[in-house]
Amino acid sequence: PSSMVGIPAMPPAGGGGEDEVEVTRKDLPEYVTHSNWKVRRDSYILLRKVILEESNGREACGNIAGDSILQGLDGKIASFLLDKNATAMEEALQLAVAYADYCKGGESADLAEAMAKNLVKGNAFTSPRPKATKFSQALALKLMEVGKDPSSVNAVIGVLLEQGLSSKKPKIVLMSASLVLEASQTFGAASLPLAAIKQSLP
């Protein structure tokens, strides 16, 4: 049964396994904020695994209650994107994509805005790791795709325009501009907040 799902935290490179911790579902409330990044990483991996198991192999459906996966998950998912460890953050990004695909909270414009803000605020857009770039782009577009109405698109694009394009970090500016362009190509320019985009142009 899914409640018994657990995975061992991988030992550090070099073979030592002294700090190995088995992450089980009952430990997740504590372990998702654990001081050890390996434990957080494996907690994110387990959460994603549980979401995929709960989906029973169905196409992305957006009907799984976040609380059925982890109590308070809807209120915690955005904070995972601020993980300061690069490896753990990549797993948090993949978890967030799965959450957006399968959980009811993924259609919330408020939650889409919160996650977009943390993509800009954290290290997701500035990471030199190709996977982080790939998963960040996928998450931003997914949040716009699964919103139940145009408000999610407006929320994410709004963050990219107001906080992304005004960032002092060139990588964040480039990523934000790229995502706005990709969103216009994917969803059609008519679905974007054109007035806000026009106002943000130099």
Side-chain angles (χ1 to χ4, degrees):
S2 58
S3 61
M4 299 301 290
V5 169
I7 57 174
M10 289 182 251
E18 294 178 0
D19 63 347
E20 183 173 332
V21 176
E22 182 174 3
V23 179
T24 62
R25 192 167 178 181
K26 69 180 178 62
D27 297 317
L28 284 173
E30 175 188 356
Y31 282 1
V32 291
T33 56
H34 201 280
S35 60
N36 185 330
W37 69 266
K38 298 181 182 73
V39 176
R40 294 196 309 276
R41 173 201 61 195
D42 289 351
S43 297
Y44 303 148
I45 291 172
L46 180 55
L47 275 170
R48 179 170 176 266
K49 182 178 180 181
V50 172
I51 289 173
L52 296 177
E53 285 182 349
E54 291 288 331
S55 74
N56 292 319
R58 296 190 301 272
E59 291 291 324
C61 51
N63 61 8
I64 298 175
D67 280 350
S68 72
I69 304 298
L70 173 69
Q71 188 67 34
L73 179 60
D74 295 339
K76 296 174 180 176
I77 188 74
S79 67
F80 300 160
L81 304 178
L82 295 175
D83 201 300
K84 294 189 181 300
N85 178 272
T87 303
M89 182 189 65
E90 286 181 359
E91 296 300 339
L93 287 165
Q94 291 189 78
L95 163 62
V97 172
Y99 171 90
D101 251 340
Y102 291 102
C103 294
K104 292 177 182 177
E107 66 180 19
S108 163
D110 288 342
L111 190 49
E113 181 178 22
M115 287 203 262
K117 284 182 176 178
N118 284 354
L119 285 175
V120 173
K121 179 181 177 182
N123 298 324
F125 281 5
T126 57
S127 174
R129 297 160 70 106
K131 281 187 177 180
T133 299
K134 174 184 174 183
F135 298 144
S136 297
Q137 291 173 324
L139 176 57
L141 293 169
K142 180 60 65 177
L143 291 169
M144 289 187 268
E145 175 193 334
V146 301
K148 64 180 178 181
D149 55 52
S151 57
S152 286
V153 174
N154 292 340
V156 175
I157 294 295
V159 171
L160 296 175
L161 294 176
E162 295 166 18
Q163 299 181 22
L165 294 184
S166 64
S167 173
K168 292 182 171 64
K169 297 179 180 178
K171 287 191 72 173
I172 293 179
V173 174
L174 288 172
M175 176 75 92
S176 299
S178 173
L179 281 167
V180 172
L181 177 60
E182 191 166 352
S184 71
Q185 295 170 339
T186 302
F187 307 111
S191 66
L192 304 186
L194 297 179
I197 293 174
K198 185 177 180 180
Q199 190 175 7
S200 300
L201 294 175

